Amino acid sequence: MEEKIDKYVRNAMNATEKSAFEAEMAKQADLAATVKVYQAEYKAMDLLVETDLKLKMSNWEDEITLMNAPPIGMTVKKSPYKRLYWALSAAAILVLGLVGWWFLKAPTAVLETPVLAKETPTKPNTPSQSMNPIPKPGLPKPSPRVDIPKIAEQESRPPTKTPTPLPVPNKPPPPTRVPPPDYQALAATYYNNTEFIKKTAKPSKQAPMGIVYGQALDSYTSGQYQEAAKLLKTLLKANPNEVQSRELLAHTLYKSGKHAEAIPYLRRLAGAGSNASAQRADWALALAYLRQMPAQKTLLTQYLNKINANPRHLYHAQAKRLAGDLGF
């Protein structure tokens, strides 16, 4: 309620609030009396503020009047010290005049007065002063002193030769490090250029093994390597010596990225003899070990040497070219 009264007295209410508050004052006599007390206090405060402001303005006007008034005590009075100053000045001028007159009247006596000069110790001449004396006016310029014995001694000595510096041998440039070949890229290139599995091969007529192999070949051709490996492992369980399923399973594992898992199947095929499947297994083993370089460098070198030692090998040309690419 005090906030409302304060707001009403300061005339800070809008029309709606003012009407509502005046209606409330009409109903409550205590509220109306409190409002009158607040109004009286605000008027008294306004009077105090106005009186204080007038007093300050009056003080400001007095200060400005004092600042603009001429300074007090600035009138010049004749001081006895000024008279003394002029008397001393006149006496000094008189003394200076007498001294000048005495010098003008008897110049000879002044010139004949002996002057005792203090002998200053002579300093030893520095080399620059002894070699180049300053000529006096009216006298011939002395010629520089010639040290004949020194010159003769210098002429008798043979001229010294400065030793020529030995040529600095050219350092050989540091050997350039050849980066290792990209083993994975080489393996991918040589594998893709080799036709290991004939995709047009027809399954055997023996049922049901031929049908299962055909399904596995279709999965291999379409890139479904997990399904193909599952079917081929089932065939090898039934017939562990079946070469066609073993070769397809090895290359299924290789193309799915399981190179280490494909190696046992390829090594069994490579040891079967010198037929086409064994030679294909030799080359596939070399590429599988190339995928694991440089850890399997020894085994890779072994199979490349095996293929290169047989000029009739199906992959002799490829193995020779790969050895050149690797720097073997």
Side-chain angles (χ1 to χ4, degrees):
M1 183 58 70
E2 291 180 357
E3 292 180 0
K4 287 185 178 180
I5 295 171
D6 182 70
K7 196 173 180 181
Y8 176 78
V9 172
R10 289 188 293 103
N11 199 17
M13 289 183 174
N14 54 30
T16 305
E17 291 176 344
K18 187 174 182 181
S19 300
F21 189 74
E22 288 177 351
E24 192 174 355
M25 282 172 40
K27 293 178 182 179
Q28 299 180 16
D30 295 340
L31 179 59
T34 305
V35 170
K36 287 182 180 180
V37 172
Y38 267 76
Q39 288 176 341
E41 289 179 354
Y42 269 94
K43 286 181 181 180
M45 288 175 64
D46 290 340
L47 287 174
L48 287 173
V49 171
E50 184 178 358
T51 304
D52 184 58
L53 181 60
K54 286 181 179 181
L55 182 59
K56 286 182 179 180
M57 290 179 66
S58 177
N59 291 336
W60 292 342
E61 290 177 356
D62 293 342
E63 290 177 1
I64 292 171
T65 304
L66 289 174
M67 289 173 64
N68 294 330
I72 301 172
M74 294 299 291
T75 56
V76 180
K77 294 182 180 181
K78 293 183 179 180
S79 175
Y81 294 105
K82 191 171 184 181
R83 296 176 183 175
L84 180 60
Y85 169 76
W86 285 111
L88 291 174
S89 299
I93 292 169
L94 181 59
V95 171
L96 289 173
L98 291 173
V99 172
W101 173 80
W102 181 71
F103 272 102
L104 291 174
K105 185 177 180 181
T108 308
V110 175
L111 292 174
E112 291 178 356
T113 305
V115 179
L116 296 176
K118 294 182 179 180
E119 293 184 359
T120 57
T122 59
K123 295 182 180 180
N125 294 329
T126 59
S128 60
Q129 292 174 350
S130 62
M131 295 298 294
N132 298 316
I134 301 173
K136 296 182 179 180
L139 296 176
K141 184 177 181 181
S143 60
R145 188 181 64 176
V146 179
D147 195 351
I148 296 173
K150 188 174 182 181
I151 292 175
E153 184 183 355
Q154 289 178 355
E155 289 178 354
S156 63
R157 289 180 182 178
T160 58
K161 294 182 180 180
T162 56
T164 56
L166 296 175
V168 179
N170 295 327
K171 292 183 179 180
T176 56
R177 296 183 62 184
V178 180
D182 191 346
Y183 303 115
Q184 302 300 323
L186 282 174
T189 301
Y190 280 98
Y191 188 91
N192 292 335
N193 293 337
T194 305
E195 187 180 0
F196 288 104
I197 302 298
K198 293 182 179 181
K199 300 176 183 179
T200 58
K202 295 180 180 180
S204 176
K205 294 181 180 180
Q206 298 177 1
M209 296 300 179
I211 298 173
V212 176
Y213 180 85
Q215 293 174 352
L217 182 61
D218 291 338
S219 299
Y220 172 85
T221 305
S222 60
Q224 299 176 4
Y225 301 120
Q226 186 175 0
E227 183 64 27
K230 185 178 179 181
L231 293 171
L232 292 168
K233 286 179 181 180
T234 303
L235 288 175
L236 288 176
K237 282 182 180 180
N239 188 5
N241 297 322
E242 210 277 312
V243 175
Q244 192 176 13
S245 299
R246 184 176 299 279
E247 186 174 11
L248 181 59
L249 176 59
H251 288 282
T252 300
L253 295 171
Y254 183 98
K255 295 195 74 172
S256 62
K258 300 176 181 179
H259 310 105
E261 191 175 342
I263 286 175
Y265 295 98
L266 292 171
R267 294 189 70 171
R268 185 168 179 179
L269 289 169
S274 60
N275 53 14
S277 62
Q279 292 184 4
R280 288 196 299 269
D282 289 339
W283 181 234
L285 272 169
L287 297 181
Y289 288 129
L290 179 59
R291 288 281 187 178
Q292 301 174 56
M293 278 289 287
Q296 298 294 343
K297 182 178 179 180
T298 303
L299 291 173
L300 171 60
T301 306
Q302 176 184 342
Y303 275 91
L304 286 178
N305 292 337
K306 177 183 176 181
I307 298 171
N308 289 328
N310 183 10
R312 295 183 180 181
H313 198 285
L314 294 174
Y315 300 96
H316 179 268
Q318 292 93 322
K320 190 174 182 179
R321 190 165 60 250
L322 176 58
D325 293 338
L326 294 173
F328 290 174

